[in-house]
Amino acid sequence: MTGLPLSGVTVVALEQALAVPFATRQLADLGARVIKIERPGSGDFARGYDNKVNGLSSAFVWLNRGKESVELDIKTEAGKDILAALLDHADVFLHNISPAASRRQGLDSATLSVNYPGLICGSVSGYGTSGPMADTKAYDLLVQGETGMMSLNGDEENFAKVGISVADIAAGMYTYSSVLAAIHHRSQTGEVLPVDVSLFDSLTEWLSYPMYYTRYGGTAPRRMGTSHATIAPYGGFETADGERVLLAVQNEREWRRFCALVLQRPEYAGDPRFDSHTTRIDNRQVLDSLVAERISELDLPSVEKRLDEAGVAYARMNTIDQLHTHEQLLSRERWIPTGSEVGIVDTLLPPWFPANHIPNFGSVPSLGQHTEQVLEWLAAGTDANDDNGETRCSTTRGRLR
């Protein structure tokens, strides 16, 4: 069994909240050593979001497994010296302080690339490092509003925010994938590319479909709740036993089978009100009423049986409290025990993990847990071992290039 894909890569992260921590936790999952710099005394403010995981913040547990926590005040001379030493040993440096603050502190990618020419430098900001909104303060909710994301959610009367931090998550994913690309590019060419990502750009990319639809079609998609602006039938329908089933009829073949086997009204397939995507959309209200009436006569198992026979995609409309015991998670053993300052907690395996490797992602660190260890490593100028005795931190940028 070989080492994990990012073994030997050292990441220093001046991070808090969500976007950068999400990126670096995924790097840690793949074997990178992630040294998390936190404000002395209080640390990452995500530590205080709640206390639902046996006294720990659910957000912090999610985002910080396998990292080393170092308390460091980078505004002091001593703190600046330690940060500089860390950057000398790092392959990647990421932060999510504002563009203006990073320039003042010399932590912007342009400055760091001069002082540390082998270091992959990166940041996550609200609106990017240039443009009229570069220094505008931004949070997930605000970017959802600024991009128009909320105008696509909810019902016809009301905008709604997405129930998770979708702008932060989008930026974290692009940061993660971009860092992987930059590491690979450096190893192949020796060229070091900065990785500066914004919440606004990331969420705009995810909104490209409705944005193109609106720009070139002249009208924006309607807010449809669980329905779809250009597909019908599509959405949630209540069954006779009070459950709700989500279904999606994608093409004419499915529509004919849906009419014959699910609705048991084959004549609907050729009804001029419903005989194409366009006519079904034009007559959506009538169609949805007919579908709802038929579905409401059947219990959920009967509806699922008919949908299976027809080959029409469907799902249950579950609530979030049903997810952690979902049979798909449990049968695939997606939960793993993870250490923390309050004992063992369960965390999720990442969506992909190399086969034939034992998933050992380390613990969720307490504030400053690794400060002394990291300072001793810097003083020694040699590799440090992780808790398993495996070398995870080294001055390997020469090897990686």
Side-chain angles (χ1 to χ4, degrees):
M1 182 171 62
T2 60
L4 288 171
L6 296 182
S7 294
V9 173
T10 300
V11 179
V12 174
L14 184 62
E15 60 177 23
Q16 57 186 359
L18 205 157
V20 172
F22 187 41
T24 56
R25 197 224 70 201
Q26 294 177 89
L27 296 171
D29 284 348
L30 291 181
R33 185 190 192 191
V34 177
I35 299 173
K36 180 184 181 76
I37 298 173
E38 299 193 65
R39 182 180 291 107
S42 56
D44 182 340
F45 55 70
R47 288 182 179 273
Y49 278 176
D50 60 62
N51 60 358
K52 300 299 184 182
V53 184
N54 300 337
L56 301 180
S57 159
S58 52
F60 192 85
V61 168
W62 167 41
L63 296 167
N64 292 283
R65 173 179 68 194
K67 301 179 185 180
E68 298 173 46
S69 171
V70 172
E71 289 185 277
L72 187 65
D73 184 351
I74 65 167
K75 294 183 179 179
T76 66
E77 288 305 315
K80 291 176 183 177
D81 289 344
I82 292 170
L83 178 59
L86 285 170
L87 297 185
D88 274 331
H89 288 74
D91 298 287
V92 179
F93 173 64
L94 296 172
H95 70 79
N96 57 347
I97 60 179
S98 71
S102 67
R103 289 191 298 270
R104 285 196 304 269
Q105 297 176 55
L107 297 177
D108 58 291
S109 295
T111 301
L112 288 175
S113 65
V114 173
N115 297 331
Y116 304 90
L119 180 67
I120 296 170
C121 312
S123 67
V124 173
S125 60
Y127 294 99
T129 58
S130 62
M133 297 185 71
D135 293 324
T136 301
K137 204 166 186 177
Y139 300 111
D140 183 89
L141 170 69
L142 308 181
V143 176
Q144 285 195 42
E146 194 71 37
T147 57
M149 167 64 82
M150 289 191 290
S151 75
L152 300 175
N153 295 284
D155 54 31
E156 294 195 10
E157 288 76 36
N158 301 290
F159 286 18
K161 69 180 289 292
V162 177
I164 58 174
S165 299
V166 64
D168 284 320
I169 293 169
M173 288 302 301
Y174 283 117
T175 302
Y176 167 57
S177 61
S178 299
V179 166
L180 295 179
I183 290 172
H184 176 73
H185 183 76
R186 188 181 66 180
S187 71
Q188 297 297 304
T189 69
E191 182 183 15
V192 179
L193 301 174
V195 176
D196 292 307
V197 173
S198 80
L199 275 65
F200 183 83
D201 290 345
S202 300
L203 196 53
T204 297
E205 169 64 26
W206 283 17
L207 289 166
S208 293
Y209 176 17
M211 181 170 59
Y212 292 175
Y213 178 99
T214 303
R215 176 176 178 177
Y216 294 103
T219 58
R222 292 167 54 199
R223 289 186 302 283
M224 303 294 295
T226 62
S227 297
H228 195 287
T230 59
I231 303 174
Y234 187 111
F237 297 90
E238 188 169 349
T239 61
D241 50 356
E243 301 292 335
R244 288 185 68 82
V245 62
L246 289 164
L247 58 89
V249 176
Q250 297 284 343
N251 54 55
E252 298 309 311
R253 292 189 307 278
E254 287 189 4
W255 169 240
R256 289 191 292 271
R257 294 197 302 267
F258 182 77
C259 292
L261 299 174
V262 181
L263 301 181
Q264 297 187 346
R265 294 288 192 273
E267 65 274 15
Y268 287 171
D271 189 311
R273 297 173 299 174
F274 313 132
D275 60 359
S276 70
H277 271 302
T278 301
T279 57
R280 289 195 292 277
I281 293 299
D282 290 343
N283 295 283
R284 180 198 299 275
Q285 188 171 357
V286 175
L287 174 61
D288 283 352
S289 178
L290 293 172
V291 173
E293 181 180 1
R294 294 295 290 160
I295 297 296
S296 70
E297 297 169 355
L298 304 168
D299 61 19
L300 181 61
S302 299
V303 174
E304 291 177 332
K305 183 174 184 294
R306 291 190 183 187
L307 289 165
D308 280 330
E309 291 172 350
V312 172
Y314 68 91
R316 293 161 289 181
M317 192 181 290
N318 291 332
T319 52
I320 191 64
D321 61 298
Q322 296 172 278
L323 180 56
H324 68 280
T325 57
H326 197 291
E327 62 269 27
Q328 192 69 7
L329 291 180
L330 299 182
S331 67
R332 298 177 67 212
E333 299 181 332
R334 294 290 311 286
W335 288 109
I336 58 168
T338 301
S340 78
E341 62 188 292
V342 297
I344 298 297
V345 298
D346 286 337
T347 62
L348 277 176
L349 279 169
W352 177 83
F353 189 72
N356 303 318
H357 285 75
I358 299 172
N360 180 7
F361 301 116
S363 301
V364 179
S366 59
L367 177 59
Q369 178 179 342
H370 303 92
T371 303
E372 184 176 342
Q373 174 187 328
V374 170
L375 292 178
E376 288 175 353
W377 165 64
L378 289 175
T382 58
D383 292 351
N385 292 333
D386 66 10
D387 293 339
N388 298 316
E390 297 176 354
T391 299
R392 296 189 62 177
C393 180
S394 59
T395 53
T396 54
R397 282 186 280 150
R399 288 206 305 273
L400 289 171
R401 291 192 200 113

